[in-house]
Amino acid sequence: MEENKVVLLDEDGQENEFELVMSFDVEGKTYVLLATDEESEDVFPFVIQEDENGEEVLMPVENAEEFALIEETYAQLAEEDDDCDCGCEGHHHDHE
């Protein structure tokens, strides 16, 4: 699905396409988990921050404590999705 695609520029200015795995809010920050494709086991965490122009930008998570918080939250959300019986096939969403 195109709406789940994110294009990021690397340090050389090359465009790289990622698949949005999920996003969630923890402790007042919004985190985004990206993978190179749907089948990829590798997930890359980013935090949404505001740049000097007030634009939202994705910044890689490099802090070990923050990374551990993301891992813990992701595991909890994945467990909740495994328990879902609405037919969503484990995709995180609100069941309201």
Side-chain angles (χ1 to χ4, degrees):
M1 290 184 184
E2 278 304 307
E3 67 266 8
N4 290 333
K5 300 287 184 185
V6 176
V7 177
L8 299 178
L9 296 177
D10 65 17
E11 56 274 350
D12 298 324
Q14 298 291 324
E15 288 187 354
N16 295 288
E17 189 172 272
F18 291 88
E19 183 82 22
L20 176 64
V21 175
M22 76 168 45
S23 65
F24 51 87
D25 297 320
V26 178
E27 296 184 359
K29 295 182 180 180
T30 300
Y31 294 96
V32 177
L33 301 180
L34 303 177
T36 52
D37 59 52
E38 288 180 13
E39 289 81 34
S40 178
E41 299 268 331
D42 296 325
V43 177
F44 304 98
F46 292 86
V47 61
I48 297 177
Q49 295 181 344
E50 224 175 78
D51 69 8
E52 62 275 357
N53 299 321
E55 299 285 324
E56 288 185 340
V57 295
L58 292 176
M59 299 299 295
V61 173
E62 297 173 345
N63 176 299
E65 289 176 20
E66 199 169 21
F67 191 82
L69 176 66
I70 292 167
E71 281 185 315
E72 180 182 323
T73 303
Y74 178 72
Q76 289 172 351
L77 292 172
E79 186 175 311
E80 289 173 15
D81 283 344
D82 287 344
D83 295 337
C84 178
D85 61 357
C86 74
C88 67
E89 299 178 12
H91 299 287
H92 182 67
H93 61 89
D94 292 327
H95 288 95
E96 296 178 31

